[in-house]
Amino acid sequence: MNAEDVYSRQQFGQATGMGLRPALLVVDFVNGFHDPEILGGGNIPEAVIATVPLLDFVRGRGLPVIFTRIVYAADGSDASLWCRKVPRLRDLTEDAPASQVVDALAPRPGEIVIRKTQASAFFGTHLSACLVAQGIDTLIVTGCTTSGCVRATVIDAMSSNYRTVVVSDCVGDRALDPHRANLFDMRQKYSDVMRAADLVAALTQAA
Protein backbone atom coordinates (compact mmCIF):
# COMPACT_ATOMS: atom_id res chain seq x y z
CA MET A 1 0.00 0.00 0.00
CA ASN A 2 1.48 3.36 -1.03
CA ALA A 3 1.57 6.48 1.13
CA GLU A 4 -1.45 8.10 -0.55
CA ASP A 5 -3.54 5.00 0.17
CA VAL A 6 -2.45 4.84 3.82
CA TYR A 7 -3.32 8.48 4.49
CA SER A 8 -6.57 8.26 2.55
CA ARG A 9 -7.67 5.14 4.44
CA GLN A 10 -7.04 6.94 7.73
CA GLN A 11 -9.00 9.98 6.47
CA PHE A 12 -6.13 12.43 6.36
CA GLY A 13 -6.03 15.17 3.75
CA GLN A 14 -9.54 16.56 4.09
CA ALA A 15 -10.02 20.01 2.57
CA THR A 16 -10.63 22.91 4.94
CA GLY A 17 -11.40 25.44 2.23
CA MET A 18 -11.19 29.21 2.38
CA GLY A 19 -13.07 31.56 4.63
CA LEU A 20 -14.48 34.99 3.91
CA ARG A 21 -11.38 37.12 4.47
CA PRO A 22 -8.10 35.75 3.02
CA ALA A 23 -4.67 37.37 3.14
CA LEU A 24 -1.51 36.55 1.22
CA LEU A 25 1.50 35.72 3.40
CA VAL A 26 4.87 35.91 1.63
CA VAL A 27 7.36 34.05 3.83
CA ASP A 28 11.05 35.00 3.64
CA PHE A 29 11.36 35.57 -0.10
CA VAL A 30 14.50 37.59 0.57
CA ASN A 31 17.73 37.88 -1.36
CA GLY A 32 19.65 35.55 0.93
CA PHE A 33 17.23 32.70 0.35
CA HIS A 34 17.09 33.43 -3.36
CA ASP A 35 20.87 33.19 -3.74
CA PRO A 36 22.31 29.63 -3.82
CA GLU A 37 25.65 31.00 -2.59
CA ILE A 38 24.07 32.20 0.67
CA LEU A 39 21.03 30.27 1.94
CA GLY A 40 19.09 29.50 -1.24
CA GLY A 41 19.05 27.30 -4.31
CA GLY A 42 16.77 24.52 -5.48
CA ASN A 43 13.48 25.75 -6.89
CA ILE A 44 13.29 28.98 -4.89
CA PRO A 45 13.96 31.26 -7.90
CA GLU A 46 11.17 29.55 -9.85
CA ALA A 47 8.82 29.95 -6.88
CA VAL A 48 9.59 33.67 -6.74
CA ILE A 49 8.76 34.04 -10.44
CA ALA A 50 5.49 32.13 -9.99
CA THR A 51 4.53 34.37 -7.07
CA VAL A 52 4.78 37.62 -9.07
CA PRO A 53 1.46 37.25 -10.95
CA LEU A 54 -0.27 35.88 -7.84
CA LEU A 55 0.85 38.91 -5.86
CA ASP A 56 -0.40 41.20 -8.63
CA PHE A 57 -3.76 39.41 -8.62
CA VAL A 58 -4.15 39.64 -4.84
CA ARG A 59 -3.23 43.32 -4.85
CA GLY A 60 -5.71 43.92 -7.66
CA ARG A 61 -8.42 42.35 -5.51
CA GLY A 62 -7.54 44.61 -2.61
CA LEU A 63 -6.70 41.68 -0.33
CA PRO A 64 -4.18 42.15 2.49
CA VAL A 65 -0.56 41.24 1.80
CA ILE A 66 1.91 40.45 4.58
CA PHE A 67 5.63 39.77 4.19
CA THR A 68 8.11 38.19 6.59
CA ARG A 69 11.85 38.68 6.92
CA ILE A 70 14.36 37.03 9.26
CA VAL A 71 16.11 39.94 10.98
CA TYR A 72 18.74 39.73 13.72
CA ALA A 73 20.48 42.54 15.57
CA ALA A 74 23.75 43.59 13.98
CA ASP A 75 25.60 42.94 17.25
CA GLY A 76 24.23 39.39 17.49
CA SER A 77 22.56 40.10 20.83
CA ASP A 78 19.35 38.28 19.86
CA ALA A 79 20.99 35.38 18.03
CA SER A 80 19.23 32.20 19.09
CA LEU A 81 20.12 28.53 19.21
CA TRP A 82 18.81 28.39 15.65
CA CYS A 83 21.78 30.57 14.67
CA ARG A 84 24.11 27.99 16.17
CA LYS A 85 22.49 25.37 13.97
CA VAL A 86 22.61 27.65 10.91
CA PRO A 87 25.31 30.29 11.57
CA ARG A 88 24.73 32.26 8.37
CA LEU A 89 21.32 33.32 9.65
CA ARG A 90 23.15 35.87 11.80
CA ASP A 91 24.05 37.74 8.61
CA LEU A 92 20.36 38.58 8.07
CA THR A 93 20.36 41.96 9.80
CA GLU A 94 18.00 44.87 9.17
CA ASP A 95 20.21 46.63 6.62
CA ALA A 96 21.92 43.60 5.07
CA PRO A 97 21.12 43.16 1.35
CA ALA A 98 20.56 39.44 1.99
CA SER A 99 17.69 40.24 4.36
CA GLN A 100 15.73 42.42 1.93
CA VAL A 101 12.65 41.14 0.09
CA VAL A 102 13.56 40.35 -3.52
CA ASP A 103 12.93 43.26 -5.89
CA ALA A 104 10.32 41.37 -7.92
CA LEU A 105 8.09 41.11 -4.84
CA ALA A 106 9.01 44.33 -3.05
CA PRO A 107 6.42 45.40 -0.45
CA ARG A 108 4.34 48.44 -1.24
CA PRO A 109 3.47 51.22 1.20
CA GLY A 110 0.79 50.02 3.59
CA GLU A 111 1.73 46.34 3.32
CA ILE A 112 2.87 44.78 6.57
CA VAL A 113 6.41 43.43 6.96
CA ILE A 114 6.92 41.12 9.93
CA ARG A 115 10.45 40.77 11.33
CA LYS A 116 11.13 37.42 12.95
CA THR A 117 14.00 35.53 14.55
CA GLN A 118 12.55 32.01 14.41
CA ALA A 119 11.17 29.81 11.67
CA SER A 120 7.47 30.44 12.26
CA ALA A 121 6.01 33.80 11.28
CA PHE A 122 3.88 33.57 14.43
CA PHE A 123 6.57 32.91 17.03
CA GLY A 124 7.46 36.04 18.98
CA THR A 125 5.89 38.39 16.41
CA HIS A 126 2.76 40.53 16.14
CA LEU A 127 1.39 38.56 13.17
CA SER A 128 -1.60 37.23 15.13
CA ALA A 129 -2.54 40.73 16.24
CA CYS A 130 -2.35 41.96 12.64
CA LEU A 131 -4.61 39.15 11.44
CA VAL A 132 -7.17 39.77 14.18
CA ALA A 133 -7.18 43.51 13.51
CA GLN A 134 -8.00 42.92 9.85
CA GLY A 135 -10.48 40.12 10.42
CA ILE A 136 -8.40 37.58 8.50
CA ASP A 137 -9.62 33.99 8.65
CA THR A 138 -7.56 32.44 5.83
CA LEU A 139 -3.83 32.53 5.05
CA ILE A 140 -2.62 31.97 1.51
CA VAL A 141 1.02 30.99 2.02
CA THR A 142 3.89 31.46 -0.41
CA GLY A 143 7.60 31.67 0.28
CA CYS A 144 10.53 29.60 1.44
CA THR A 145 11.68 27.24 2.57
CA THR A 146 8.93 24.67 2.19
CA SER A 147 10.49 22.39 4.79
CA GLY A 148 11.47 25.20 7.16
CA CYS A 149 9.80 28.56 7.64
CA VAL A 150 6.80 27.77 5.44
CA ARG A 151 6.07 24.53 7.26
CA ALA A 152 6.59 26.07 10.72
CA THR A 153 4.26 28.94 9.84
CA VAL A 154 1.61 26.64 8.43
CA ILE A 155 1.61 24.44 11.54
CA ASP A 156 1.22 27.50 13.78
CA ALA A 157 -1.54 28.83 11.53
CA MET A 158 -3.45 25.56 11.88
CA SER A 159 -2.76 25.60 15.63
CA SER A 160 -4.30 29.08 15.74
CA ASN A 161 -7.34 27.81 13.78
CA TYR A 162 -6.70 29.73 10.57
CA ARG A 163 -7.72 28.14 7.31
CA THR A 164 -4.49 27.78 5.37
CA VAL A 165 -3.71 27.28 1.68
CA VAL A 166 -0.14 26.56 0.57
CA VAL A 167 0.43 27.57 -3.05
CA SER A 168 2.51 24.67 -4.30
CA ASP A 169 4.26 26.40 -7.21
CA CYS A 170 4.88 29.53 -5.14
CA VAL A 171 6.86 27.85 -2.35
CA GLY A 172 10.41 26.64 -2.73
CA ASP A 173 13.26 24.87 -1.01
CA ARG A 174 17.01 24.59 -1.50
CA ALA A 175 16.54 20.87 -2.14
CA LEU A 176 13.63 19.28 -4.00
CA ASP A 177 13.22 16.11 -1.91
CA PRO A 178 12.29 17.97 1.31
CA HIS A 179 10.16 20.36 -0.76
CA ARG A 180 8.05 17.55 -2.16
CA ALA A 181 7.90 15.59 1.11
CA ASN A 182 6.74 18.60 3.09
CA LEU A 183 4.11 19.61 0.54
CA PHE A 184 2.71 16.10 0.82
CA ASP A 185 2.79 16.17 4.62
CA MET A 186 1.22 19.62 4.94
CA ARG A 187 -1.55 18.66 2.54
CA GLN A 188 -2.34 15.61 4.64
CA LYS A 189 -2.27 17.28 8.07
CA TYR A 190 -2.12 21.06 8.18
CA SER A 191 -3.33 22.88 5.06
CA ASP A 192 -4.91 22.76 1.67
CA VAL A 193 -2.42 22.77 -1.20
CA MET A 194 -3.28 24.40 -4.53
CA ARG A 195 -1.46 25.62 -7.59
CA ALA A 196 -1.55 29.35 -8.20
CA ALA A 197 -3.80 29.08 -11.27
CA ASP A 198 -6.38 27.03 -9.37
CA LEU A 199 -6.25 29.43 -6.44
CA VAL A 200 -6.82 32.44 -8.69
CA ALA A 201 -9.78 30.64 -10.29
CA ALA A 202 -11.24 29.86 -6.87
CA LEU A 203 -10.84 33.44 -5.63
CA THR A 204 -12.34 34.79 -8.84
CA GLN A 205 -15.34 32.49 -8.55
CA ALA A 206 -15.83 33.38 -4.89
CA ALA A 207 -15.79 37.09 -5.71
Side-chain angles (χ1 to χ4, degrees):
M1 185 176 295
N2 63 34
E4 289 276 2
D5 291 337
V6 171
Y7 280 80
S8 176
R9 181 169 56 85
Q10 296 179 4
Q11 299 184 3
F12 282 87
Q14 306 304 308
T16 57
M18 285 188 287
L20 299 176
R21 180 68 169 160
L24 179 66
L25 183 63
V26 183
V27 177
D28 296 352
F29 266 155
V30 300
N31 294 320
F33 284 102
H34 189 267
D35 187 344
E37 297 303 316
I38 304 178
L39 290 163
N43 67 329
I44 294 173
E46 290 81 2
V48 168
I49 292 170
T51 302
V52 172
L54 176 61
L55 178 59
D56 288 343
F57 173 83
V58 167
R59 284 170 168 163
R61 291 280 171 174
L63 298 176
V65 179
I66 302 171
F67 295 84
T68 72
R69 299 168 55 202
I70 298 172
V71 177
Y72 287 101
D75 63 4
S77 57
D78 59 352
S80 62
L81 194 60
W82 193 26
C83 294
R84 178 169 293 187
K85 193 72 175 175
V86 189
R88 297 196 75 176
L89 289 172
R90 292 185 59 168
D91 297 334
L92 301 178
T93 59
E94 179 62 40
D95 297 326
S99 181
Q100 311 307 310
V101 176
V102 296
D103 288 343
L105 303 173
R108 292 180 178 176
E111 294 177 341
I112 296 169
V113 180
I114 301 287
R115 275 82 170 166
K116 63 189 182 76
T117 58
Q118 299 296 330
S120 171
F122 286 90
F123 190 92
T125 75
H126 62 296
L127 176 58
S128 290
C130 293
L131 299 178
V132 171
Q134 298 189 59
I136 304 303
D137 61 7
T138 304
L139 283 180
I140 299 166
V141 181
T142 66
C144 63
T145 60
T146 314
S147 62
C149 295
V150 168
R151 180 189 175 92
T153 297
V154 165
I155 291 174
D156 278 357
M158 167 65 81
S159 301
S160 300
N161 226 29
Y162 287 102
R163 298 173 187 268
T164 309
V165 180
V166 174
V167 190
S168 59
D169 47 336
C170 296
V171 294
D173 212 312
R174 62 184 60 86
L176 293 182
D177 284 346
H179 167 74
R180 297 187 185 106
N182 280 275
L183 276 180
F184 174 85
D185 199 57
M186 287 188 288
R187 179 167 58 85
Q188 299 300 332
K189 301 173 185 174
Y190 306 116
S191 70
D192 292 351
V193 175
M194 302 176 69
R195 292 188 61 81
D198 296 330
L199 175 63
V200 166
L203 289 172
T204 301
Q205 183 177 14

